[in-house]
């Protein structure tokens, strides 16, 4: 279990994290979302011991970062954004060095390197210098580095940027596999990635947590507000406005355009129920022809946009 | 607390990195050409079987060569971002500094190794007194350690290797030449500035007189510079 308590970090005047409280259970795959500069990376860097907090603390597995940072580091595997590595080292030497730093004995290290070469698809590139590798392969070396010692906590900062679609799927599978037993913290801007891999989503904006829950919960929370888009032929906006305005649950009716003689209208609804049948009944009473009707529940993108909008 | 296992790992990696890149070979070649030239160009004029002229030039050559050996130690990592990766491994900053320091020191020792051919060839030409030679090499290691600690410190200050290099050259050069500027100073301050200069202490040792004061000078200087480097790196957190 990892607990962030009143975690605050200032870079000079700039506040990167503002009294953040967060508890992460073991075995969770947590997606950390937020716009650029929201404080995601800062939060991760504090947990890895790269930065010290201005105030507040983090406890991980009963240890606090002030006293036992070295022990916490032993529990953590971290892949920083864009995987900065020692460019002039050979992949094998680099991973061997990391194994040594992680306290693996020589025989263990050789065995582990061989496992990782297969798990991360590095077999053919083990004896090339890192600077010759493509971005995707560097990312794989970074991942091998992060999971070297089977860490209890795996932290990945934008792990799939620069990868091709196949590699993204592979990396997601690796993450899911690890996430079965271990805690995984994943920072990203790619929302579909979070939906595909994470149990829980935390959205950070301006150093504060603005949303916390599973993908379903986040979508649910905004379910009472949705819109229904309809297209009608043979109708005038004013008539539609008076007729459909009689339905209580509809808060607002607006015309969003007209083409091919069909009038497009958005109805903003404020209710827990699905009122499409009510709308349909009203339309049936008229001479209008209904050509389209869709219900638009907010996507994660919309929720994200609303929560992190300026002001 | 320092952990020997971590220091050994950092040492091994840093030391091998020297020989992966061509820098090591270039630096060693330049060092041998410069010292060899200055030593042998005057050696036969004096017809004395001693290495004094070799050792007397060493502080100045080291002032240029050693910052070139140390400039990348932190700057490169800060610039590429690999410093972040390094710090997330279970090592303390003190381990990192000690490992890097020892790796550079070992490199300097390797660099000095070929120069052992000078005293050996000189000993065939005349009756060489080995005392000053051994003292000279001990002094060279201590002086090297001192300049490495300065270079390590300046390398931690900046992402830019050139700035790290020039700052370190400036400090090392000043510490070497300070005693030559003593005639500008009032007599009451002479003793202090003579003691602070590296050249004075190095010359004492390279005469073959091993005095604890000179050894303490070098060791405490190394300690202070490495400790300052630690403070600088802690300050970045």
């Amino acid at each position: 279990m990892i607990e962030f308590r009143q975690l605050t970090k200032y870079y000079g005047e700039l506040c990167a994290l503002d009294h953040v409280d967060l508890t992460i259970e073991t075995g969770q795959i947590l997606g950390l979302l937020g716009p650029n500069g929201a404080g995601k990376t800062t939060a991760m860097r504090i947990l890895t011991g790269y930065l010290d907090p201005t105030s507040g603390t983090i406890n991980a597995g009963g240890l606090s970062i002030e006293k036992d940072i070295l022990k916490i580091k032993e529990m953590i595997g971290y892949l920083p954004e864009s995987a900065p590595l020692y460019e002039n080292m050979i992949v094998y030497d680099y991973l061997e060095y990391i194994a040594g730093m992680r306290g693996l004995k020589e025989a263990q290290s050789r065995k582990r390197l061989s496992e990782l070469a297969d798990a991360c698809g590095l077999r053919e590139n083990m004896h090339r210098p890192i600077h010759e590798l493509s971005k995707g392969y560097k990312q794989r070396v970074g991942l091998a580095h992060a999971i070297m010692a089977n860490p209890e906590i795996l932290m990945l900062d934008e792990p799939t940027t620069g990868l091709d679609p196949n590699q993204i799927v592979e990396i997601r599978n690796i993450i899911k596999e690890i996430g079965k037993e271990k805690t995984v913290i994943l920072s990203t801007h790619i929302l579909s990635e979070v939906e595909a891999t994470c149990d829980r989503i935390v959205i950070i904006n301006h150093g504060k947590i603005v949303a916390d829950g599973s993908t379903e919960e986040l979508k649910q929370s905004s379910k009472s507000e949705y819109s229904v888009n309809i297209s009608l032929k043979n109708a005038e906006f004013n008539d539609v406005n008076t007729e459909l305005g009689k339905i209580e649950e509809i808060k607002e009716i607006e015309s969003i355009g007209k083409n091919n003689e069909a009038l497009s209208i958005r109805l903003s609804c404020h209710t827990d129920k699905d009122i499409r049948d009510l709308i349909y009944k009203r339309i049936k009473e008229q001479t209008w022809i209904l050509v389209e009707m869709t219900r638009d529940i907010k996507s994660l993108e919309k929720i994200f946009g609303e929560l992190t909008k300026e002001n | 607390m320092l952990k020997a296992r971590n220091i050994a790992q950092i040492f091994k990696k840093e030391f091998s990195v020297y020989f992966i890149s061509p820098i090591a070979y270039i630096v060693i070649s330049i060092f041998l050409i410069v010292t060899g030239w200055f030593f042998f160009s005057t050696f036969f004029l004096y017809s004395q079987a001693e290495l004094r002229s070799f050792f007397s030039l060493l502080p100045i050559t080291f002032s240029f060569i050693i910052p070139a050996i140390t400039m990348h130690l932190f700057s490169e990592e800060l610039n590429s971002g690999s410093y972040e990766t390094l710090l997330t491994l279970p090592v303390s900053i003190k381990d990192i500094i000690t490992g890097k320091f020892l790796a550079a020191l070992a490199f300097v020792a390797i660099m000095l190794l070929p120069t052992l051919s000078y005293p050996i060839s000189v000993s065939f030409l005349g009756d060489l007194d080995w005392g000053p030679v051994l003292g000279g090499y001990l002094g060279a290691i201590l002086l090297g350690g001192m300049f490495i600690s300065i270079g390590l410190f300046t390398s931690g200050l900046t992402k830019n290797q050139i700035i790290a290099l020039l700052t370190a050259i400036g400090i090392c050069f000043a510490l070497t030449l300070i005693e030559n500027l003593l005639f500008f100073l009032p007599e009451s301050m002479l003793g202090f500035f003579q003691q602070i200069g590296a050249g004075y202490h190095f010359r004492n040792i390279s005469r073959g007189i091993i005095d604890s004061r000179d050894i303490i000078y070098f060791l405490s200087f190394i300690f202070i510079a490495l400790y300052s480097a630690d403070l600088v790196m802690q300050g970045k957190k």
Side-chain angles (χ1 to χ4, degrees):
Chain A
M1 194 164 81
I2 308 164
E3 289 174 286
F4 291 61
R5 286 211 206 108
Q6 294 289 305
L7 197 68
T8 306
K9 176 72 183 176
Y10 278 89
Y11 296 111
E13 293 280 290
L14 186 82
C15 181
L17 285 178
D18 189 2
H19 298 93
V20 169
D21 279 307
L22 180 66
T23 305
I24 306 163
E25 301 293 337
T26 307
Q28 248 177 11
I29 304 184
L30 179 96
L32 217 49
L33 285 177
N36 290 317
K40 299 175 301 238
T41 303
T42 305
M44 290 180 134
R45 282 179 169 175
I46 293 174
L47 181 51
T48 58
Y50 177 64
L51 293 174
D52 286 337
T54 311
S55 68
T57 186
I58 305 178
N59 287 348
L63 303 166
S64 81
I65 50 165
E66 292 111 46
K67 287 186 207 142
D68 304 300
I69 188 65
L70 285 184
K71 280 185 191 147
I72 292 182
K73 283 181 182 182
E74 280 172 18
M75 292 162 48
I76 293 177
Y78 180 47
L79 172 63
E81 191 176 355
S82 74
L85 306 163
Y86 294 112
E87 295 276 321
N88 47 15
M89 281 177 101
I90 288 166
V91 176
Y92 188 90
D93 289 349
Y94 176 72
L95 291 176
E96 198 184 31
Y97 160 66
I98 297 298
M101 293 286 262
R102 290 282 178 193
L104 269 66
K105 297 273 175 317
E106 234 181 285
Q108 283 174 299
S109 148
R110 222 170 297 135
K111 188 164 160 269
R112 184 69 183 140
L113 254 58
S114 172
E115 285 167 18
L116 287 175
D118 290 329
C120 302
L122 284 165
R123 183 64 73 194
E124 284 111 60
N125 292 297
M126 285 302 263
H127 294 283
R128 287 175 65 191
I130 292 174
H131 64 81
E132 281 182 9
L133 299 181
S134 69
K135 184 141 197 278
Y137 277 102
K138 280 184 192 165
Q139 201 75 11
R140 288 170 189 228
V141 177
L143 190 70
H145 150 112
I147 60 179
M148 177 64 72
N150 268 317
E152 289 301 309
I153 304 165
L154 180 66
M155 286 202 279
L156 307 164
D157 199 352
E158 319 238 338
T160 55
T161 35
L163 300 188
D164 69 41
N166 294 336
Q167 292 171 333
I168 290 179
V169 172
E170 278 173 40
I171 291 226
R172 278 184 192 163
N173 288 339
I174 296 176
I175 294 170
K176 275 190 174 168
E177 196 54 44
I178 295 168
K180 281 179 187 162
E181 299 155 40
K182 310 285 167 67
T183 311
V184 180
I185 304 176
L186 185 81
S187 135
T188 179
H189 327 277
I190 305 162
L191 297 163
S192 59
E193 185 158 294
V194 173
E195 287 196 270
T197 39
C198 298
D199 310 323
R200 181 177 166 200
I201 299 172
V202 169
I203 302 181
I204 299 187
N205 193 31
H206 293 302
K208 284 187 171 146
I209 294 179
V210 290
D212 183 355
S214 68
T215 324
E216 283 313 304
E217 278 165 4
L218 286 188
K219 283 186 174 174
Q220 208 79 37
S221 67
S222 60
K223 212 175 187 178
S224 57
E225 275 179 63
Y226 62 89
S227 54
V228 174
N229 296 328
I230 53 174
S231 291
L232 297 171
K233 274 187 182 173
N234 219 358
E236 287 300 321
F237 179 72
N238 285 341
D239 301 340
V240 178
N241 199 5
T242 32
E243 203 53 42
L244 293 184
K246 289 174 188 162
I247 304 173
E248 259 179 38
E249 286 87 348
I250 296 178
K251 282 274 171 272
E252 206 185 321
I253 301 171
E254 56 179 327
S255 164
I256 49 173
K258 192 170 182 177
N259 55 358
N260 294 339
E261 292 159 35
L263 186 65
S264 296
I265 291 168
R266 179 186 293 134
L267 311 167
S268 303
C269 310
H270 203 284
T271 169
D272 291 337
K273 287 177 291 183
D274 188 358
I275 57 161
R276 276 178 294 183
D277 45 354
L278 283 177
I279 298 169
Y280 179 68
K281 273 179 202 158
R282 292 276 169 182
I283 294 169
K284 218 170 81 178
E285 287 163 12
Q286 308 294 323
T287 55
W288 310 331
I289 301 163
L290 180 65
V291 282
E292 204 178 317
M293 169 143 75
T294 51
R295 188 163 84 130
D296 191 8
I297 293 187
K298 284 181 190 163
S299 63
L300 208 49
E301 273 83 359
K302 268 199 178 151
I303 298 169
F304 179 80
E306 279 174 16
L307 288 169
T308 58
K309 228 171 8 204
E310 290 302 309
N311 306 319
Chain B
M1 275 294 98
L2 294 174
K3 266 175 98 178
R5 191 194 83 203
N6 292 338
I7 295 172
Q9 288 296 335
I10 302 258
F11 172 85
K12 204 172 117 193
K13 182 242 149 195
E14 291 294 339
F15 189 69
S16 63
V17 160
Y18 275 118
F19 293 96
I20 294 174
S21 70
I23 297 171
Y25 306 101
I26 296 171
V27 166
I28 291 180
S29 310
I30 292 175
F31 174 74
L32 292 177
I33 290 168
V34 170
T35 55
W37 166 257
F38 281 109
F39 175 53
F40 282 109
S41 64
T42 57
F43 175 70
F44 294 105
L45 298 178
Y46 297 114
S47 50
Q48 288 202 344
E50 58 172 26
L51 268 79
R52 187 176 290 178
S53 67
F54 166 64
F55 286 120
S56 67
L57 267 174
L58 212 53
I60 291 184
T61 8
F62 269 12
S63 303
F64 290 101
I65 292 283
I66 290 191
I69 295 168
T70 57
M71 64 178 183
H72 74 281
L73 286 173
F74 277 118
S75 301
E76 194 176 24
E77 298 224 29
L78 291 170
N79 191 33
S80 74
S82 62
Y83 185 62
E84 182 178 357
T85 321
L86 176 62
L87 263 204
T88 56
L89 295 170
V91 286
S92 68
I93 292 179
K94 289 190 173 66
D95 294 342
I96 297 171
I97 291 176
T98 315
K100 283 177 186 274
F101 171 78
L102 292 176
L105 195 62
F107 180 79
V108 169
I110 299 280
M111 187 172 80
L112 283 167
L113 215 52
T115 67
L116 284 175
S117 60
Y118 306 167
I120 291 169
S121 50
V122 168
S123 70
F124 286 118
L125 298 173
D127 192 15
L128 178 71
D129 181 1
W130 281 92
V133 174
L134 292 179
Y137 277 103
L138 174 69
I141 292 292
L142 288 169
L143 182 73
M146 173 175 159
F147 286 181
I148 288 167
S149 63
I150 292 168
L152 201 60
F153 166 71
T154 62
S155 184
L157 293 175
T158 169
K159 284 181 177 184
N160 188 323
Q161 292 196 42
I162 304 295
I163 295 176
L165 171 75
L166 294 177
T167 320
I169 288 180
I171 298 173
C172 296
F173 211 52
L175 284 167
T176 305
L177 292 183
I178 198 164
E179 56 180 352
N180 298 352
L181 304 170
L182 289 180
F183 55 85
F184 287 119
L185 296 168
E187 206 167 332
S188 57
M189 294 168 78
L190 280 185
F192 174 72
F193 278 97
Q194 191 176 37
Q195 291 289 333
I196 242 187
Y200 169 75
H201 296 280
F202 177 69
R203 210 166 40 247
N204 283 349
I205 296 184
S206 66
R207 279 195 200 116
I209 309 158
I210 315 275
D211 186 335
S212 57
R213 274 174 299 184
D214 300 319
I215 305 224
I216 288 169
Y217 166 82
F218 284 114
L219 293 182
S220 47
F221 210 111
I222 290 169
F223 178 78
I224 291 168
L226 292 182
Y227 191 71
S228 312
D230 183 50
L231 290 180
V232 167
M233 299 325 277
Q234 295 283 0
K236 289 189 195 294
K237 291 181 97 184

